[in-house]
Amino acid sequence: MSQSTVDVPPKGGFSFDLCKRNDMLTQKGLKAPSFLKTGTTIVGLIFKDGVILGADTRATEGPIVADKNCEKIHYMAPNIYCCGAGTAADTEAVTDMVSSQLRLHRYQTGRDSRVITALTLLKKHLFSYQGHVSAALVLGGVDITGPHLHTIYPHGSTDTLPFATMGSGSLAAMSVFEAKYKEGLTRDEGIKLVAESICSGIFNDLGSGSNVDICVITKGNKEYLRNYMEPNPRTYVSSKGYSFTKKTEVLLTKITPLLERVEITEVGEAMEE
Amino acid sequence: MTMELWLEQEEEADRETFEMTFMIPIENGHGVKNAEADSQRTLYPYVTGTSVVAIKYKDGILMASDMGGSYGSTLRYKNIERMKAIGKHSLLGASGEISDFQEILRYLDELMLNDNMWDDGNSLGPKEVHNYLTRVMYNRRNKFNPLWNTLVLGGVKNGEKYLGMVSMIGVSFEDNHVATGFGNHLARPILRDEWREDLSFEEGVKLLEKCMRVLLYRDRSAINKLQIAKMTEEGVTVSEPYSLKTFWDFKAFTNPTVGAEGSW
């Protein structure tokens, strides 16, 4: 090893160094830790004045519900929101990253972000990782050119659609959309249809559940309705609360004072070397 | 357990492992028989039909299926009737391998013939046919030679409506509405939401058409040529083939990238 080799700073991006080590470990029998997946129903639709996004709130880790009330509708820009399905870490990280890139871009250009900017940034990132970043997204927003709704698949392909669903509950939600979507829906009709399709995913798909989140984006305005519907309440709550059967008896009361506070006043020479 | 028994079991396990790893390829007679036996078993389906959707309604059973038979990813046959009347009281719809469906029809033919020969004024109802089919499917699955179908059996006998399903591994149950294949994911959610006990014939047909339309949009092996079969106390009627109206004129479909140049 000659001393003259210059230390090249890492170029940024994913470092594939540990992949060989991981392969060796799996060959030796180590089971890789399972991913926290958001087995999910996420939907979006375009209505008369803008875009409505909807999502369920269950995050699963294999057969277990890891989070009963997680947030799957991520903020991208004041006028753009993104629902994410797939590996929770991937959707969080990728939407956070593009959100900060959009903000820097807004400072630089002095204009509101456009939905296709977010789309292109996400698409480029996901494609460069060839599908290993397992994030399936429904991106919606209203910018100066109008309302837009896109779906982005983990490998980097995108679609522009009037209504879209992703996640394990996408078929159940899509059946509701295909049966009932019309163009030019009003805000209330749109919210009702989105809530219906998320409920269809919640009740017919095992990977989705708990509550319905909705986000309505119109020109110049957005409304994030967290837990818009809670169709799975706890059915039995004891009215008595916790009641101890026997009266609790006080056996002994003992107060132990803490040690006295000692002030250190010496200053100066201690640290000189 | 005693030491000798435990040792014996160890030996047994060792011998089995040895046989599994070494004996089978070497013992010629054994090997040849295995190869022949394999060629008799169903390993994959070839010509397949897609989903069947069925509901109970006020007067009996309504069942819908399209008329397509796909050969892998080719739409080979467009005139296959995947719903047939069985006797006076039952209606059988099938998805999956078409040749296995035809075989099942032969079995049922034989069953019905033998039943008629008793000439006792009684005839096999839907419950009995369903049970027979469940036994057949489960037994074939146990021999690792399944009939590659998911069957929907509906019928009315003595005023009682019956609707059940049997899959290729022998899972069988009855319900107010059933669907096979893709219908489970796309049609069942709609039916769970909108099915009622007292649907009239027109409402039932509208509901089935709603489900079949979604399937037409979203199932790649569906075709726009379907039949609806009606089963009541009076008997079975299978409608003439017809097609559904579809809507493709969303603004976003006609010009998807307006305002979003560079995407598609």
Side-chain angles (χ1 to χ4, degrees), chain A residues 116 119 123 145 148 150 157-163 171-172 174-175 178-181 183 196 200 203-204, chain B residues 182 185-186 188-190 192-194 210 214 217-218 249-253 256 258-264:
Chain A
I116 38 166
L119 180 74
K123 172 202 293 219
T145 56
H148 297 284
H150 302 279
S157 65
T158 61
D159 286 316
T160 314
L161 297 166
F163 56 91
L171 281 89
M174 184 51 89
S175 68
E178 284 285 14
K180 300 190 182 172
Y181 180 79
E183 289 198 292
E196 230 185 290
S200 175
F203 292 119
N204 292 300
Chain B
F182 251 101
H185 297 107
L186 292 169
R188 245 24 231 291
I190 302 180
R192 279 188 180 147
D193 229 7
E194 302 191 11
K210 198 179 203 171
V214 177
Y217 284 138
R218 295 282 161 176
D249 288 329
F250 290 120
K251 278 206 295 286
F253 287 169
V258 67
E261 282 86 37
S263 72
W264 67 89

Side-chain angles (χ1 to χ4, degrees), chain A:
Chain A
M1 308 292 135
S2 77
Q3 288 293 333
S4 60
T5 43
V6 177
D7 267 327
V8 182
K11 283 217 189 93
F14 192 74
S15 156
F16 288 89
D17 294 339
L18 290 175
C19 289
K20 221 173 163 189
R21 175 206 82 148
N22 292 341
D23 274 336
M24 184 265 293
L25 285 171
T26 38
Q27 267 175 14
K28 290 220 169 135
L30 174 74
K31 265 195 333 182
S34 74
F35 308 112
L36 180 65
K37 294 200 79 177
T38 57
T40 292
T41 310
I42 49 174
V43 306
L45 66 70
I46 296 198
F47 72 110
K48 204 160 45 116
D49 311 317
V51 175
I52 306 180
L53 300 173
D56 76 307
T57 59
R58 172 184 284 186
T60 52
E61 202 176 316
I64 303 171
V65 177
D67 188 347
K68 286 189 285 189
N69 208 0
C70 70
E71 285 189 24
K72 299 186 190 179
I73 306 188
H74 308 285
Y75 167 87
M76 297 285 265
N79 57 332
I80 306 175
Y81 273 76
C82 185
C83 307
T87 307
D90 287 338
T91 57
E92 273 292 334
V94 105
T95 46
D96 270 354
M97 183 192 81
V98 173
S99 170
S100 20
Q101 286 179 342
L102 284 177
R103 182 177 264 214
L104 290 171
H105 194 247
R106 275 203 296 285
Y107 291 151
Q108 188 172 40
T109 57
R111 296 187 171 100
D112 282 337
S113 302
R114 301 195 185 190
V115 180
I116 38 166
T117 319
L119 180 74
T120 313
L121 289 168
L122 286 164
K123 172 202 293 219
K124 275 180 66 172
H125 182 85
L126 291 175
F127 180 71
S128 66
Y129 285 108
Q130 290 292 299
H132 289 289
V133 175
S134 172
L137 309 166
V138 172
L139 175 72
V142 181
D143 57 30
I144 191 74
T145 56
H148 297 284
L149 179 67
H150 302 279
T151 55
I152 309 167
Y153 289 83
H155 283 267
S157 65
T158 61
D159 286 316
T160 314
L161 297 166
F163 56 91
T165 67
M166 295 283 260
S168 57
S170 64
L171 281 89
M174 184 51 89
S175 68
V176 171
F177 273 171
E178 284 285 14
K180 300 190 182 172
Y181 180 79
K182 291 188 318 278
E183 289 198 292
L185 291 165
T186 65
R187 183 204 137 94
D188 290 325
E189 291 174 337
I191 292 182
K192 189 158 159 282
L193 185 58
V194 166
E196 230 185 290
S197 76
I198 299 287
C199 281
S200 175
I202 287 176
F203 292 119
N204 292 300
D205 173 44
L206 297 175
S208 315
S210 303
N211 317 121
V212 181
D213 284 351
I214 295 206
C215 184
V216 186
I217 310 173
T218 50
K219 185 158 164 210
N221 184 31
K222 62 140 190 291
E223 258 182 85
Y224 182 46
L225 304 165
R226 167 81 171 143
N227 285 359
Y228 171 77
M229 236 168 94
E230 295 183 342
N232 289 305
R234 262 183 84 192
T235 39
Y236 176 70
V237 183
S238 162
S239 53
K240 282 194 292 212
Y242 289 120
S243 56
F244 297 102
T245 43
K246 281 203 224 99
K247 204 165 73 125
T248 45
E249 273 181 55
V250 177
L251 292 173
L252 171 67
T253 310
K254 183 173 171 200
I255 299 175
T256 312
L258 298 169
L259 288 174
E260 261 182 44
R261 246 183 133 192
V262 178
E263 288 274 349
I264 301 174
T265 47
E266 56 179 297
V267 107
E269 289 85 12
M271 281 308 226
E272 280 186 32
E273 253 325 289

Side-chain angles (χ1 to χ4, degrees), chain B residues 4-249:
Chain B
E4 300 95 279
L5 264 175
W6 181 76
L7 280 173
E8 216 176 297
Q9 287 193 355
E10 282 277 81
E11 267 185 271
E12 179 82 352
D14 284 343
R15 190 159 51 77
E16 277 179 357
T17 334
F18 174 73
E19 275 191 41
M20 274 198 310
T21 39
F22 298 107
M23 300 295 274
I24 296 212
I26 296 175
E27 281 202 67
N28 227 335
H30 211 290
V32 169
K33 217 194 296 192
N34 258 352
E36 270 182 20
D38 271 352
S39 74
Q40 309 280 38
R41 290 203 243 139
T42 305
L43 295 172
Y44 344 89
Y46 286 98
V47 180
T48 52
T50 181
S51 359
V52 177
V53 188
I55 56 173
K56 278 191 195 166
Y57 79 110
K58 196 159 51 107
D59 307 322
I61 309 286
L62 278 172
M63 199 184 291
S65 79
D66 68 20
M67 299 191 76
S70 319
Y71 185 57
S73 55
T74 329
L75 228 197
R76 178 75 176 79
Y77 302 102
K78 298 201 209 172
N79 208 12
I80 299 189
E81 282 199 30
R82 295 192 287 116
M83 299 184 293
K84 292 285 185 188
I86 312 291
K88 287 193 294 233
H89 301 287
S90 320
L91 174 62
L92 175 69
S95 72
E97 173 63 59
I98 300 294
S99 61
D100 283 344
F101 176 48
Q102 290 169 343
E103 185 73 358
I104 290 173
L105 289 176
R106 253 189 2 93
Y107 288 157
L108 289 174
D109 229 7
E110 222 180 289
L111 182 77
M112 284 300 173
L113 194 69
N114 281 322
D115 183 54
N116 274 336
M117 287 201 290
W118 284 106
D119 203 17
D120 55 3
N122 193 18
S123 55
L124 289 175
K127 270 202 194 67
E128 291 82 52
V129 179
H130 188 219
N131 189 37
Y132 175 77
L133 287 171
T134 312
R135 292 294 102 227
V136 168
M137 301 299 268
Y138 186 63
N139 268 296
R140 290 290 296 258
R141 164 259 194 189
N142 283 342
K143 293 191 243 172
F144 281 90
N145 187 14
L147 289 159
W148 208 285
N149 293 111
T150 310
L151 306 168
V152 174
L153 204 298
V156 187
K157 187 174 175 194
N158 298 335
E160 264 186 63
K161 301 179 279 221
Y162 185 89
L163 180 61
M165 197 168 104
V166 194
S167 81
M168 77 186 219
I169 51 174
V171 175
S172 100
F173 58 90
E174 58 160 311
D175 204 346
N176 293 322
H177 45 77
V178 295
T180 68
F182 251 101
N184 267 316
H185 297 107
L186 292 169
R188 245 24 231 291
I190 302 180
L191 294 172
R192 279 188 180 147
D193 229 7
E194 302 191 11
W195 181 87
R196 283 182 347 258
E197 186 72 54
D198 55 349
L199 288 166
S200 71
F201 176 68
E202 289 79 26
E203 291 174 333
V205 171
K206 248 185 84 183
L207 186 56
L208 277 183
E209 283 188 349
K210 198 179 203 171
C211 297
M212 294 305 281
R213 189 172 289 116
V214 177
L215 284 168
L216 178 62
Y217 284 138
R218 295 282 161 176
D219 179 5
R220 85 166 186 175
S221 37
I223 59 168
N224 199 0
K225 182 177 176 189
L226 66 142
Q227 291 179 303
I228 298 215
K230 177 172 84 155
M231 167 95 242
T232 58
E233 192 73 56
E234 285 94 52
V236 178
T237 32
V238 183
S239 74
E240 284 299 305
Y242 69 103
S243 59
L244 295 168
K245 278 219 233 340
T246 55
F247 181 73
W248 296 94
D249 288 329

